[in-house]
């Protein structure tokens, strides 16, 4: 079980309250698809991903980005049991979606960069460390059912 | 992954702003790396203070950013420009190359933080490629 300090729980709760899941998710997924274009392999049904402006304007990208960050809320509501919370989701990503877990790490990094851009100086090193820890825990949980 | 003309232009544009705040940006990037990835502290056991505010971290952070600035200014010959630094890292410092990715990540985070409007997805892409190139050159003489 992951140990969270009171400070970390506080930071997560405070910032989660200020994050617009749709906007943050959209921006993070857009960055993943632009910065690591090979990730587009998972989105052949999304239509036009031919250039950054197309990706940023693509409604399916927006919808999917939102879905992913909204799901992050489940982990945040169950910080003491993220692994169990994401067991089914992990199975889905492994057995049905066949997503390389490296992509969870890439999306996590992109989200950190989006948060840094949004919050500026308020995104202190301690806040960044907490969110990186959360995303590492999420990545591990999503990878846990792969075999 | 080759740097395109557009990549080079993006890197030069954002670095023209970053280079002027070398100490601040360097301290933030280095300090954040040390805090977010504690295993990196093993290379700085001789530092009294590992926070972003530490004078040692600020000095060393500036050194790193200044070196990257010279790579930006000679973006068509990163290998030549960083040659002696490459030798230093291989023979003396021997920092595990996995750590170059960690510092590259925190540099990107700090660029996003300081220049949210300029650090678009395209600029993010260009900087990610550029820092990967720099990392590759630094590790080039390791074995």
């Amino acid at each position: 079980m992951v140990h969270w300090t009171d400070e970390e729980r506080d930071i997560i709760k405070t910032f989660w309250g200020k994050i617009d899941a749709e906007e943050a998710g959209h921006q993070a997924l857009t960055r993943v698809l632009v910065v690591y274009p090979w990730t587009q392999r998972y989105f052949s049904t999304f239509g036009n991903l031919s250039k950054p402006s197309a990706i940023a304007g693509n409604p399916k990208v927006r919808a999917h980005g939102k879905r992913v960050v909204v799901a992050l809320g489940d982990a945040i509501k169950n910080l003491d049991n993220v692994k169990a919370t994401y067991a089914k989701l992990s199975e889905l990503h492994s057995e049905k979606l066949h997503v390389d877990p490296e992509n969870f790490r890439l999306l996590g990094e992109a989200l950190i960069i989006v948060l840094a851009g949004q919050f500026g100086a308020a995104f202190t090193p301690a806040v960044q460390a907490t969110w990186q820890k959360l995303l590492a825990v999420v990545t591990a949980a999503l990878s846990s059912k792969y075999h | 992954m080759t740097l395109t003309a557009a990549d080079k232009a993006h890197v030069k544009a954002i670095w023209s702003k970053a280079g002027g705040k070398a100490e601040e940006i360097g301290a933030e990037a280095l300090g954040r790396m040390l805090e977010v990835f504690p295993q990196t502290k093993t290379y700085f056991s001789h530092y009294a203070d590992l926070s972003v505010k530490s004078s040692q971290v600020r000095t060393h952070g500036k050194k790193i950013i200044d070196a990257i600035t010279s790579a930006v200014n000679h973006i068509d010959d990163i290998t030549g420009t960083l040659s002696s630094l490459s030798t230093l890292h291989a023979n003396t410092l021997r920092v595990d190359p996995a750590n170059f990715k960690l510092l590259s990540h925190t540099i990107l985070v700090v660029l996003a933080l300081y220049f949210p409007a300029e650090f678009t997805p395209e600029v993010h892409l260009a900087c990610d490629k550029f820092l990967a190139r720099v990392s590759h050159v630094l590790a080039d003489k390791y074995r």
Side-chain angles (χ1 to χ4, degrees):
Chain A
M1 203 187 89
V2 180
H3 172 71
W4 300 96
T5 64
D6 289 340
E7 205 201 334
E8 286 168 338
R9 291 176 195 270
D10 236 9
I11 285 172
I12 290 170
K13 202 170 154 214
T14 304
F15 278 77
W16 183 242
K18 301 183 197 174
I19 291 168
D20 176 335
E22 181 177 331
E23 197 49 43
H26 175 63
Q27 287 187 31
L29 185 57
T30 294
R31 282 180 188 266
V32 169
L33 294 167
V34 168
V35 180
Y36 313 107
W38 52 92
T39 58
Q40 292 170 24
R41 71 190 300 287
Y42 298 107
F43 300 103
S44 53
T45 59
F46 273 31
N48 189 3
L49 299 176
S50 61
K51 48 186 192 202
S53 54
I55 294 169
N58 187 311
K60 287 189 173 180
V61 172
R62 178 171 282 273
H64 194 69
K66 177 180 177 181
R67 190 170 179 180
V68 168
V69 175
V70 165
L72 194 58
D74 290 337
I76 291 172
K77 276 192 227 112
N78 296 283
L79 281 180
D80 292 314
N81 218 345
V82 178
K83 203 161 156 199
T85 305
Y86 278 172
K88 284 251 153 357
L89 213 49
S90 177
E91 260 176 54
L92 176 81
H93 282 76
S94 167
E95 302 308 298
K96 195 153 172 257
L97 304 175
H98 307 292
V99 175
D100 182 339
E102 174 65 11
N103 294 285
F104 307 147
R105 218 186 46 81
L106 296 181
L107 185 57
E109 280 189 1
L111 186 57
I112 292 293
I113 281 169
V114 167
L115 296 180
Q118 180 181 341
F119 293 109
F123 197 64
T124 63
V127 171
Q128 182 184 341
T130 300
W131 276 83
Q132 300 235 199
K133 177 176 170 177
L134 172 65
L135 292 168
V137 167
V138 164
T139 291
L142 281 174
S143 309
S144 66
K145 294 293 181 192
Y146 278 65
H147 62 94
Chain B
M1 300 190 226
T2 319
L3 293 171
T4 64
D7 290 331
K8 293 177 189 178
H10 284 314
V11 170
K12 281 178 181 284
I14 196 149
W15 211 263
S16 68
K17 303 190 149 206
K21 292 178 184 270
E23 192 175 303
E24 229 181 301
I25 286 180
E28 285 280 347
L30 187 58
R32 281 168 190 268
M33 182 193 74
L34 294 164
E35 182 155 352
V36 176
F37 309 108
Q39 69 272 24
T40 58
K41 292 196 264 195
T42 56
Y43 293 98
F44 297 95
S45 52
H46 54 298
Y47 277 23
D49 177 0
L50 290 169
S51 73
V52 166
K53 302 190 196 328
S54 147
S55 62
Q56 285 173 304
V57 169
R58 293 183 72 88
T59 303
H60 196 68
K62 179 175 189 311
K63 213 164 170 178
I64 293 172
I65 299 300
D66 286 344
I68 295 176
T69 300
S70 78
V72 173
N73 291 338
H74 299 90
I75 206 164
D76 290 316
D77 184 22
I78 297 172
T79 307
T81 306
L82 297 182
S83 178
S84 50
L85 265 181
S86 180
T87 304
L88 182 75
H89 281 76
N91 298 344
T92 311
L93 302 177
R94 291 178 291 187
V95 173
D96 192 300
N99 296 288
F100 300 153
K101 271 197 199 174
L102 304 182
L103 184 59
S104 295
H105 168 67
T106 57
I107 289 173
L108 294 178
V109 170
V110 174
L111 289 177
L113 200 149
Y114 275 77
F115 311 111
E118 292 87 344
F119 198 69
T120 61
E122 293 94 318
V123 172
H124 178 170
L125 165 63
C127 291
D128 194 62
K129 287 170 74 175
F130 170 72
L131 290 173
R133 183 99 197 89
V134 167
S135 302
H136 179 85
V137 167
L138 283 179
D140 200 47
K141 298 176 185 169
Y142 272 53
R143 55 179 174 173

